[in-house]
Amino acid sequence: MQATVSSAEQMRELGRRMAGLLRAGDLVLLTGQLGAGKTTLTRGLGAGLGVRGAVTSPTFVIARVHPSLGDGPPLVHVDAYRLGGGLDEMEDLDLDVSLPDSVIVVEWGEGKVEELSDERLHVVIARSTGDAADEADETREVTLVGVGERWRDVPLQELLHG
């Protein structure tokens, strides 16, 4: 499923809508260039899940846990950008222990954390690049790909066109 998002607020709103479909045990992989909107989308997820604390990029701490303010699952926000060793390096974070009880969102996780779960939501965010790209242009193409039985019947198209 693919859609165009034209502002940071629309990206956050997409995250809020996505949160309504997420449950404990879900793994979400975010892929996109620097500045594509991965953390902005995660802010929306945090708002939609009703978690405590400002959702900011965990680049320098690798992972942040945002407990739920209600009865929902906590959000574990991981930035795997600086981790080059794949799942071996990720094991130090004990994500496999957190996964059953949390929603885990991994920025830059493609090729690094897929072994955590056979069922995951992969979000690819693409923005215009090159000489013709206007730096002020916030337009992004967002593609959602559900992997595994968990995502087979989830209406992802409604997220993108809601």
Side-chain angles (χ1 to χ4, degrees):
M1 306 298 137
Q2 187 171 28
T4 300
V5 174
S6 58
S7 70
E9 181 50 43
Q10 285 183 359
M11 188 67 78
R12 281 188 295 274
E13 179 56 32
L14 175 59
R16 281 191 282 276
R17 289 194 313 267
M18 284 176 60
L21 296 177
L22 296 175
R23 61 186 187 210
D26 283 342
L27 174 63
V28 180
L29 301 184
L30 302 181
T31 300
Q33 309 100 304
L34 286 171
K38 297 178 296 295
T39 300
T40 302
L41 179 76
T42 307
R43 283 188 188 108
L45 287 170
L49 289 170
V51 299
R52 184 177 62 207
V55 175
T56 60
S57 179
T59 299
F60 298 106
V61 295
I62 310 299
R64 294 184 197 277
V65 177
H66 298 275
S68 175
L69 291 171
D71 59 357
L75 171 66
V76 179
H77 184 198
V78 179
D79 186 331
Y81 183 73
R82 298 183 322 148
L83 301 178
L87 195 58
D88 292 340
E89 247 181 287
M90 298 296 283
E91 282 181 358
D92 291 339
L93 299 176
D94 288 332
L95 294 180
D96 53 337
V97 173
S98 300
L99 185 58
D101 301 318
S102 308
V103 170
I104 297 183
V105 176
V106 184
E107 296 186 28
W108 304 97
E110 186 174 17
K112 297 178 181 176
V113 298
E114 287 88 344
E115 292 176 35
L116 285 174
S117 177
D118 291 334
E119 301 180 324
R120 58 194 170 275
L121 180 61
H122 194 165
V123 181
V124 179
I125 305 170
R127 64 182 177 103
S128 299
T129 58
D131 295 337
D134 177 359
E135 289 300 319
D137 185 6
E138 295 185 39
T139 302
R140 308 289 193 258
E141 293 298 321
V142 179
T143 304
L144 302 179
V145 179
V147 176
E149 186 70 24
R150 154 76 173 107
W151 296 100
R152 188 168 49 119
D153 296 322
V154 175
L156 296 176
Q157 67 279 1
E158 291 177 17
L159 288 175
L160 295 174
H161 303 292

Coordinates of all heavy atoms in Angstrom, one line a residue, residues 41-134:
L41 N 7.0 10.1 12.2 CA 5.9 9.1 12.2 C 5.9 8.4 13.6 O 4.8 8.2 14.1 CB 6.3 8.0 11.1 CG 5.3 6.9 11.0 CD1 4.0 7.3 10.3 CD2 5.9 5.7 10.3
T42 N 7.0 8.2 14.2 CA 7.1 7.5 15.5 C 6.4 8.4 16.6 O 5.8 7.9 17.5 CB 8.5 7.1 15.9 OG1 9.0 6.3 14.8 CG2 8.5 6.3 17.1
R43 N 6.6 9.7 16.4 CA 5.9 10.7 17.3 C 4.4 10.4 17.3 O 3.7 10.4 18.3 CB 6.2 12.1 17.0 CG 7.6 12.5 17.5 CD 7.8 14.0 17.3 NE 9.2 14.3 17.6 CZ 10.1 14.6 16.7 NH1 9.8 14.8 15.4 NH2 11.3 14.9 17.0
G44 N 3.9 10.3 16.1 CA 2.5 10.0 15.9 C 2.1 8.7 16.5 O 1.0 8.6 17.2
L45 N 2.9 7.7 16.3 CA 2.6 6.4 17.0 C 2.6 6.5 18.5 O 1.7 6.0 19.1 CB 3.7 5.4 16.6 CG 3.8 4.8 15.2 CD1 5.0 4.0 15.0 CD2 2.6 4.0 15.0
G46 N 3.5 7.3 19.1 CA 3.5 7.5 20.5 C 2.3 8.2 21.0 O 1.7 7.8 22.0
A47 N 1.8 9.2 20.2 CA 0.6 9.9 20.6 C -0.6 9.0 20.5 O -1.4 9.0 21.4 CB 0.4 11.1 19.7
G48 N -0.6 8.2 19.4 CA -1.8 7.3 19.3 C -1.8 6.2 20.3 O -2.9 5.7 20.7
L49 N -0.6 5.7 20.7 CA -0.6 4.7 21.7 C -0.7 5.2 23.1 O -0.9 4.5 24.1 CB 0.8 3.9 21.7 CG 1.0 3.0 20.5 CD1 2.5 2.6 20.4 CD2 0.1 1.8 20.5
G50 N -0.7 6.5 23.3 CA -0.8 7.2 24.6 C 0.3 6.8 25.5 O 0.1 6.4 26.7
V51 N 1.6 7.1 25.1 CA 2.7 6.8 25.9 C 3.3 8.0 26.6 O 3.0 9.1 26.1 CB 3.8 6.0 25.1 CG1 3.3 4.7 24.5 CG2 4.4 6.9 24.0
R52 N 4.1 7.8 27.6 CA 4.7 8.9 28.4 C 6.0 9.3 27.7 O 6.7 8.5 27.2 CB 4.9 8.4 29.8 CG 5.5 9.5 30.7 CD 5.6 9.0 32.1 NE 6.6 8.0 32.1 CZ 6.6 7.0 33.1 NH1 5.7 7.0 34.0 NH2 7.6 6.1 33.0
G53 N 6.3 10.6 27.8 CA 7.5 11.1 27.4 C 7.5 11.6 25.9 O 6.8 11.0 25.1
A54 N 8.3 12.6 25.6 CA 8.5 13.1 24.3 C 9.2 12.0 23.4 O 10.2 11.5 23.8 CB 9.2 14.4 24.3
V55 N 8.6 11.7 22.3 CA 9.3 10.8 21.4 C 10.3 11.6 20.5 O 9.9 12.4 19.7 CB 8.3 10.0 20.5 CG1 9.0 9.2 19.4 CG2 7.3 9.2 21.3
T56 N 11.6 11.3 20.8 CA 12.6 12.0 20.0 C 13.5 10.9 19.4 O 13.5 9.7 19.8 CB 13.5 12.9 20.9 OG1 14.0 12.1 22.0 CG2 12.6 14.0 21.5
S57 N 14.4 11.3 18.5 CA 15.3 10.3 17.9 C 16.2 9.7 19.0 O 16.9 10.4 19.7 CB 16.1 11.0 16.8 OG 17.0 10.0 16.3
P58 N 16.3 8.4 19.0 CA 17.2 7.7 20.0 C 18.6 7.4 19.5 O 19.2 6.5 19.9 CB 16.4 6.4 20.3 CG 15.7 6.1 19.0 CD 15.4 7.4 18.4
T59 N 19.0 8.3 18.5 CA 20.3 8.0 17.8 C 21.4 7.8 18.8 O 22.2 6.8 18.6 CB 20.6 9.2 16.9 OG1 19.6 9.3 15.9 CG2 21.9 8.9 16.2
F60 N 21.6 8.6 19.8 CA 22.7 8.5 20.7 C 22.5 7.5 21.9 O 23.5 7.1 22.5 CB 23.2 9.8 21.1 CG 23.6 10.7 20.0 CD1 22.8 11.7 19.5 CD2 24.8 10.4 19.3 CE1 23.1 12.5 18.4 CE2 25.1 11.2 18.2 CZ 24.3 12.2 17.8
V61 N 21.3 7.1 22.2 CA 21.0 6.2 23.2 C 20.6 4.8 22.7 O 20.4 3.9 23.4 CB 20.0 6.7 24.2 CG1 20.5 7.9 24.9 CG2 18.7 6.9 23.5
I62 N 20.5 4.7 21.4 CA 20.1 3.5 20.7 C 18.6 3.1 20.9 O 17.9 2.9 19.9 CB 21.0 2.3 20.9 CG1 22.5 2.7 20.8 CG2 20.7 1.1 20.0 CD1 22.9 3.2 19.5
A63 N 18.1 3.1 22.1 CA 16.7 2.8 22.3 C 16.1 3.5 23.5 O 16.8 3.8 24.5 CB 16.6 1.3 22.6
R64 N 14.9 3.9 23.4 CA 14.1 4.5 24.4 C 12.8 3.7 24.6 O 12.2 3.3 23.7 CB 13.7 6.0 24.0 CG 14.8 6.9 23.9 CD 14.2 8.3 23.6 NE 15.2 9.2 23.1 CZ 16.1 9.9 23.8 NH1 16.1 9.8 25.1 NH2 17.0 10.7 23.2
V65 N 12.5 3.6 25.9 CA 11.2 2.9 26.3 C 10.2 4.0 26.7 O 10.6 4.8 27.6 CB 11.4 1.9 27.3 CG1 10.1 1.2 27.7 CG2 12.4 0.8 26.9
H66 N 9.1 4.0 26.1 CA 8.0 5.0 26.5 C 6.9 4.2 27.1 O 6.1 3.5 26.3 CB 7.5 5.8 25.3 CG 8.6 6.6 24.7 ND1 8.9 7.9 25.1 CD2 9.4 6.4 23.6 CE1 9.9 8.4 24.4 NE2 10.2 7.5 23.5
P67 N 6.7 4.2 28.4 CA 5.6 3.4 29.1 C 4.3 4.0 28.7 O 4.1 5.2 28.4 CB 5.9 3.6 30.6 CG 7.3 4.1 30.7 CD 7.6 4.8 29.4
S68 N 3.3 3.1 28.7 CA 1.9 3.6 28.4 C 1.4 4.4 29.6 O 1.6 4.0 30.7 CB 1.0 2.3 28.1 OG -0.3 2.7 28.0
L69 N 0.6 5.4 29.3 CA -0.1 6.2 30.3 C -1.4 5.5 30.7 O -2.1 5.9 31.6 CB -0.3 7.6 29.8 CG 0.9 8.4 29.7 CD1 0.6 9.8 29.0 CD2 1.5 8.7 31.0
G70 N -1.8 4.5 29.9 CA -3.1 3.8 30.1 C -2.8 2.3 30.3 O -1.8 1.9 30.9
D71 N -3.7 1.5 29.6 CA -3.5 0.1 29.7 C -2.9 -0.5 28.4 O -2.9 -1.7 28.2 CB -4.8 -0.6 30.1 CG -5.9 -0.3 29.0 OD1 -5.7 0.5 28.1 OD2 -7.0 -0.8 29.2
G72 N -2.4 0.3 27.5 CA -1.8 -0.2 26.3 C -0.4 -0.6 26.4 O 0.2 -0.5 27.5
P73 N 0.2 -1.1 25.4 CA 1.6 -1.5 25.4 C 2.6 -0.3 25.4 O 2.3 0.7 24.9 CB 1.7 -2.4 24.2 CG 0.8 -1.7 23.2 CD -0.4 -1.3 24.0
P74 N 3.7 -0.5 26.0 CA 4.8 0.5 25.9 C 5.3 0.5 24.5 O 5.2 -0.4 23.7 CB 5.8 0.0 26.9 CG 5.6 -1.4 27.2 CD 4.1 -1.7 26.9
L75 N 5.9 1.6 24.1 CA 6.6 1.8 22.9 C 8.1 1.8 23.1 O 8.6 2.5 23.9 CB 6.2 3.2 22.2 CG 6.9 3.6 21.0 CD1 6.6 2.7 19.8 CD2 6.6 5.0 20.6
V76 N 8.7 0.8 22.4 CA 10.2 0.8 22.4 C 10.7 1.3 21.1 O 10.4 0.8 20.0 CB 10.7 -0.7 22.6 CG1 12.2 -0.7 22.6 CG2 10.2 -1.2 23.9
H77 N 11.4 2.5 21.1 CA 11.8 3.2 19.9 C 13.3 3.0 19.8 O 14.1 3.4 20.6 CB 11.4 4.6 20.1 CG 11.7 5.5 18.9 ND1 11.8 6.8 18.9 CD2 12.0 5.2 17.6 CE1 12.1 7.3 17.7 NE2 12.2 6.3 16.9
V78 N 13.7 2.3 18.7 CA 15.1 1.9 18.5 C 15.7 2.6 17.3 O 15.0 2.7 16.3 CB 15.3 0.4 18.4 CG1 16.7 0.0 18.1 CG2 14.7 -0.3 19.5
D79 N 16.9 3.1 17.3 CA 17.6 3.6 16.2 C 18.8 2.7 15.9 O 19.7 2.7 16.7 CB 18.0 5.1 16.4 CG 18.6 5.7 15.2 OD1 19.2 5.0 14.3 OD2 18.5 6.9 15.1
A80 N 18.7 1.9 14.9 CA 19.8 1.0 14.6 C 20.8 1.5 13.6 O 21.7 0.8 13.1 CB 19.2 -0.3 14.0
Y81 N 20.8 2.8 13.3 CA 21.7 3.5 12.3 C 23.1 3.2 12.6 O 23.9 2.8 11.7 CB 21.4 5.0 12.3 CG 22.2 5.7 11.3 CD1 21.9 5.6 9.9 CD2 23.3 6.5 11.6 CE1 22.7 6.3 9.0 CE2 24.1 7.2 10.7 CZ 23.7 7.0 9.4 OH 24.5 7.7 8.4
R82 N 23.5 3.3 13.9 CA 24.9 3.1 14.2 C 25.3 1.7 14.5 O 26.4 1.4 14.9 CB 25.3 4.0 15.4 CG 25.1 5.5 15.1 CD 25.5 6.4 16.2 NE 25.2 5.9 17.5 CZ 25.9 6.2 18.6 NH1 27.0 6.9 18.5 NH2 25.5 5.7 19.8
L83 N 24.3 0.8 14.5 CA 24.6 -0.6 14.7 C 24.9 -1.3 13.4 O 24.0 -1.5 12.6 CB 23.4 -1.3 15.5 CG 23.1 -0.6 16.8 CD1 21.9 -1.3 17.4 CD2 24.2 -0.7 17.8
G84 N 26.0 -1.8 13.2 CA 26.4 -2.5 12.0 C 26.3 -4.0 12.0 O 26.4 -4.6 11.0
G85 N 26.3 -4.6 13.2 CA 26.4 -6.0 13.4 C 25.1 -6.8 13.3 O 25.1 -8.0 13.6
G86 N 24.0 -6.2 12.8 CA 22.8 -6.9 12.7 C 22.3 -7.4 14.0 O 22.4 -6.7 15.0
L87 N 21.6 -8.5 14.0 CA 20.9 -9.0 15.2 C 21.9 -9.3 16.3 O 21.5 -9.2 17.5 CB 20.1 -10.3 14.8 CG 19.1 -10.7 15.9 CD1 18.1 -9.6 16.1 CD2 18.4 -11.9 15.4
D88 N 23.1 -9.7 16.0 CA 24.1 -9.9 17.1 C 24.2 -8.7 18.0 O 24.2 -8.8 19.2 CB 25.5 -10.3 16.5 CG 25.4 -11.7 15.8 OD1 24.5 -12.5 16.1 OD2 26.3 -11.9 15.0
E89 N 24.4 -7.5 17.4 CA 24.5 -6.3 18.2 C 23.2 -6.0 18.8 O 23.2 -5.4 19.9 CB 25.0 -5.2 17.3 CG 26.3 -4.6 17.6 CD 26.7 -3.5 16.7 OE1 27.0 -3.7 15.5 OE2 26.7 -2.4 17.2
M90 N 22.1 -6.2 18.1 CA 20.8 -5.9 18.7 C 20.5 -6.7 19.9 O 19.7 -6.3 20.7 CB 19.7 -6.1 17.6 CG 19.9 -5.2 16.4 SD 19.8 -3.4 16.8 CE 18.0 -3.3 16.9
E91 N 21.0 -7.9 20.0 CA 20.7 -8.8 21.1 C 21.0 -8.2 22.4 O 20.4 -8.5 23.4 CB 21.4 -10.2 20.9 CG 20.8 -11.1 19.9 CD 21.5 -12.4 19.8 OE1 22.5 -12.6 20.5 OE2 21.0 -13.2 19.0
D92 N 22.0 -7.3 22.5 CA 22.4 -6.6 23.7 C 21.3 -5.7 24.2 O 21.2 -5.4 25.4 CB 23.7 -5.8 23.5 CG 24.9 -6.6 23.3 OD1 24.9 -7.8 23.7 OD2 25.9 -6.1 22.7
L93 N 20.3 -5.4 23.3 CA 19.2 -4.5 23.7 C 18.1 -5.3 24.3 O 17.1 -4.8 24.8 CB 18.7 -3.7 22.5 CG 19.7 -2.8 21.9 CD1 19.1 -2.1 20.7 CD2 20.2 -1.7 22.9
D94 N 18.1 -6.7 24.2 CA 17.1 -7.6 24.7 C 15.7 -7.3 24.1 O 14.7 -7.4 24.7 CB 17.0 -7.5 26.2 CG 18.1 -8.2 26.9 OD1 18.7 -9.1 26.4 OD2 18.5 -7.7 28.1
L95 N 15.7 -6.9 22.8 CA 14.4 -6.6 22.1 C 13.5 -7.9 22.1 O 12.3 -7.8 22.1 CB 14.7 -6.1 20.7 CG 15.4 -4.7 20.7 CD1 15.5 -4.3 19.2 CD2 14.6 -3.7 21.4
D96 N 14.2 -9.0 22.0 CA 13.3 -10.3 22.0 C 12.6 -10.5 23.3 O 11.5 -11.0 23.3 CB 14.2 -11.5 21.6 CG 15.4 -11.7 22.5 OD1 15.9 -10.7 23.1 OD2 15.9 -12.8 22.7
V97 N 13.1 -10.0 24.4 CA 12.5 -10.0 25.7 C 11.3 -9.0 25.7 O 10.2 -9.3 26.2 CB 13.5 -9.8 26.8 CG1 12.7 -9.7 28.1 CG2 14.5 -10.9 26.8
S98 N 11.5 -7.8 25.2 CA 10.5 -6.8 25.2 C 9.4 -7.0 24.2 O 8.3 -6.5 24.4 CB 11.2 -5.4 24.8 OG 12.2 -5.1 25.8
L99 N 9.7 -7.7 23.1 CA 8.7 -7.8 22.0 C 7.3 -8.3 22.4 O 6.3 -7.7 22.0 CB 9.3 -8.6 20.9 CG 8.4 -8.7 19.6 CD1 8.2 -7.3 19.0 CD2 9.1 -9.5 18.5
P100 N 7.2 -9.3 23.2 CA 5.8 -9.8 23.5 C 4.9 -8.8 24.2 O 3.7 -8.9 24.0 CB 6.1 -11.1 24.3 CG 7.5 -11.5 24.1 CD 8.2 -10.2 23.7
D101 N 5.5 -7.9 24.9 CA 4.7 -7.0 25.8 C 4.7 -5.6 25.2 O 4.0 -4.7 25.8 CB 5.3 -7.0 27.2 CG 5.3 -8.3 27.8 OD1 4.3 -9.0 27.7 OD2 6.3 -8.7 28.5
S102 N 5.4 -5.3 24.1 CA 5.6 -3.9 23.7 C 5.3 -3.8 22.2 O 5.3 -4.8 21.5 CB 7.1 -3.5 23.9 OG 7.5 -3.7 25.2
V103 N 5.2 -2.6 21.7 CA 5.3 -2.3 20.3 C 6.7 -1.8 20.1 O 7.2 -0.9 20.7 CB 4.3 -1.2 19.9 CG1 4.6 -0.7 18.5 CG2 2.8 -1.7 20.0
I104 N 7.5 -2.5 19.2 CA 8.9 -2.1 19.0 C 9.0 -1.5 17.6 O 8.6 -2.1 16.6 CB 9.8 -3.3 19.1 CG1 9.8 -3.8 20.5 CG2 11.2 -2.9 18.7 CD1 10.7 -5.0 20.8
V105 N 9.5 -0.2 17.5 CA 9.7 0.5 16.3 C 11.2 0.7 16.1 O 11.8 1.2 17.0 CB 9.0 1.9 16.3 CG1 9.2 2.6 15.1 CG2 7.5 1.7 16.5
V106 N 11.7 0.2 15.0 CA 13.1 0.2 14.7 C 13.4 1.1 13.5 O 13.0 0.7 12.4 CB 13.7 -1.2 14.6 CG1 15.2 -1.1 14.4 CG2 13.4 -2.1 15.7
E107 N 14.0 2.2 13.7 CA 14.5 3.0 12.6 C 15.8 2.4 12.1 O 16.6 1.9 12.8 CB 14.7 4.5 13.0 CG 13.5 5.2 13.4 CD 13.8 6.7 13.7 OE1 14.7 7.2 13.1 OE2 13.1 7.2 14.6
W108 N 16.0 2.4 10.7 CA 17.2 1.8 10.1 C 17.3 0.3 10.5 O 18.4 -0.2 10.5 CB 18.4 2.5 10.6 CG 18.4 4.0 10.3 CD1 18.1 5.0 11.3 CD2 18.7 4.7 9.1 NE1 18.2 6.2 10.7 CE2 18.6 6.0 9.4 CE3 19.1 4.3 7.8 CZ2 18.8 7.0 8.4 CZ3 19.3 5.2 6.9 CH2 19.1 6.6 7.1
G109 N 16.2 -0.4 10.7 CA 16.2 -1.8 11.1 C 16.3 -2.8 10.0 O 16.6 -4.0 10.2
E110 N 16.1 -2.4 8.7 CA 16.0 -3.3 7.6 C 17.4 -4.0 7.5 O 18.4 -3.4 7.5 CB 15.8 -2.6 6.3 CG 15.6 -3.5 5.1 CD 15.2 -2.7 3.9 OE1 15.3 -1.5 3.8 OE2 14.7 -3.4 2.9
G111 N 17.3 -5.4 7.4 CA 18.5 -6.2 7.3 C 19.2 -6.4 8.7 O 20.2 -7.0 8.7
K112 N 18.6 -5.9 9.8 CA 19.2 -6.0 11.1 C 18.3 -6.8 12.1 O 18.8 -7.4 13.0 CB 19.6 -4.7 11.6 CG 20.6 -3.9 10.8 CD 20.9 -2.6 11.3 CE 21.9 -1.9 10.4 NZ 22.2 -0.5 10.9
V113 N 17.0 -6.6 12.0 CA 16.1 -7.1 13.1 C 15.0 -8.0 12.6 O 14.2 -8.4 13.4 CB 15.5 -6.0 13.9 CG1 16.6 -5.2 14.6 CG2 14.6 -5.1 13.1
E114 N 15.0 -8.4 11.4 CA 13.9 -9.2 10.8 C 13.8 -10.5 11.6 O 12.7 -11.1 11.7 CB 14.1 -9.5 9.3 CG 13.8 -8.3 8.5 CD 15.0 -7.4 8.2 OE1 16.0 -7.5 9.0 OE2 14.9 -6.5 7.3
E115 N 14.9 -11.0 12.1 CA 14.9 -12.3 12.8 C 14.2 -12.3 14.1 O 13.9 -13.3 14.7 CB 16.3 -12.8 13.0 CG 17.1 -13.2 11.7 CD 18.5 -13.6 12.0 OE1 18.8 -14.2 13.0 OE2 19.4 -13.3 11.1
L116 N 13.8 -11.1 14.6 CA 13.1 -11.0 15.8 C 11.7 -11.5 15.7 O 11.1 -12.0 16.7 CB 13.0 -9.5 16.3 CG 14.2 -8.9 16.9 CD1 14.0 -7.4 17.1 CD2 14.6 -9.6 18.2
S117 N 11.1 -11.4 14.5 CA 9.7 -11.8 14.3 C 9.5 -12.2 12.8 O 9.9 -11.4 11.9 CB 8.8 -10.7 14.8 OG 7.4 -11.1 14.5
D118 N 8.7 -13.2 12.6 CA 8.3 -13.5 11.2 C 7.1 -12.6 10.8 O 6.7 -12.6 9.7 CB 7.8 -15.0 11.2 CG 8.9 -16.0 11.3 OD1 10.1 -15.6 11.0 OD2 8.7 -17.1 11.8
E119 N 6.6 -11.9 11.8 CA 5.5 -11.0 11.5 C 5.9 -9.6 11.8 O 6.2 -9.3 13.0 CB 4.2 -11.4 12.3 CG 3.8 -12.8 12.0 CD 2.6 -13.3 12.7 OE1 2.5 -12.9 13.9 OE2 1.8 -14.0 12.1
R120 N 5.8 -8.7 10.9 CA 6.2 -7.3 11.1 C 5.6 -6.4 10.0 O 5.1 -6.8 9.0 CB 7.8 -7.2 11.0 CG 8.4 -7.6 9.7 CD 9.9 -7.8 9.8 NE 10.4 -8.5 8.7 CZ 10.4 -9.8 8.5 NH1 10.0 -10.6 9.4 NH2 10.9 -10.3 7.4
L121 N 5.6 -5.1 10.4 CA 5.1 -4.1 9.5 C 6.3 -3.3 9.0 O 7.1 -2.8 9.9 CB 4.1 -3.2 10.2 CG 3.5 -2.1 9.3 CD1 2.8 -2.6 8.1 CD2 2.6 -1.2 10.1
H122 N 6.5 -3.3 7.7 CA 7.7 -2.5 7.2 C 7.1 -1.2 6.5 O 6.3 -1.3 5.7 CB 8.4 -3.4 6.1 CG 9.7 -2.9 5.7 ND1 10.6 -3.6 5.1 CD2 10.3 -1.7 5.9 CE1 11.7 -2.9 4.9 NE2 11.5 -1.7 5.4
V123 N 7.6 -0.1 7.0 CA 7.2 1.2 6.5 C 8.4 1.8 5.8 O 9.5 2.0 6.4 CB 6.8 2.1 7.7 CG1 6.3 3.5 7.1 CG2 5.7 1.4 8.5
V124 N 8.3 2.1 4.5 CA 9.3 2.7 3.7 C 8.9 4.1 3.4 O 7.8 4.3 2.8 CB 9.6 1.9 2.4 CG1 10.7 2.6 1.6 CG2 10.0 0.5 2.7
I125 N 9.7 5.1 3.8 CA 9.4 6.5 3.5 C 10.4 7.1 2.5 O 11.7 7.0 2.8 CB 9.4 7.3 4.8 CG1 8.5 6.7 5.9 CG2 9.1 8.8 4.6 CD1 8.7 7.3 7.3
A126 N 10.0 7.6 1.4 CA 10.9 8.1 0.4 C 10.6 9.6 0.2 O 9.4 10.0 0.1 CB 10.7 7.3 -0.9
R127 N 11.6 10.3 0.1 CA 11.5 11.8 -0.2 C 12.3 12.1 -1.5 O 13.2 11.4 -1.8 CB 11.9 12.6 0.9 CG 13.4 12.6 1.3 CD 13.7 13.5 2.5 NE 15.1 13.3 2.9 CZ 16.0 14.2 2.6 NH1 15.7 15.3 1.9 NH2 17.2 14.0 3.0
S128 N 11.9 13.2 -2.1 CA 12.7 13.6 -3.3 C 14.1 14.0 -2.9 O 14.3 14.6 -1.9 CB 12.0 14.8 -3.9 OG 10.7 14.5 -4.3
T129 N 15.0 13.6 -3.8 CA 16.4 13.9 -3.6 C 17.0 14.4 -4.9 O 16.4 14.2 -6.0 CB 17.2 12.7 -3.1 OG1 17.1 11.7 -4.0 CG2 16.7 12.3 -1.7
G130 N 18.2 15.0 -4.8 CA 18.9 15.4 -6.1 C 18.7 16.9 -6.3 O 18.2 17.6 -5.5
D131 N 19.3 17.4 -7.4 CA 19.3 18.8 -7.7 C 17.9 19.4 -7.8 O 17.7 20.6 -7.5 CB 20.1 19.1 -9.0 CG 21.5 18.7 -8.9 OD1 22.0 18.7 -7.7 OD2 22.2 18.5 -9.9
A132 N 17.0 18.6 -8.3 CA 15.6 19.2 -8.5 C 14.8 19.2 -7.2 O 13.7 19.8 -7.2 CB 14.9 18.3 -9.6
A133 N 15.3 18.6 -6.2 CA 14.5 18.5 -5.0 C 14.5 19.9 -4.2 O 15.6 20.5 -4.1 CB 15.1 17.5 -4.0
D134 N 13.4 20.3 -3.9 CA 13.3 21.6 -3.1 C 13.4 21.2 -1.6 O 12.6 20.4 -1.1 CB 11.9 22.2 -3.4 CG 11.6 23.5 -2.6 OD1 12.5 23.9 -1.7 OD2 10.6 24.1 -2.7

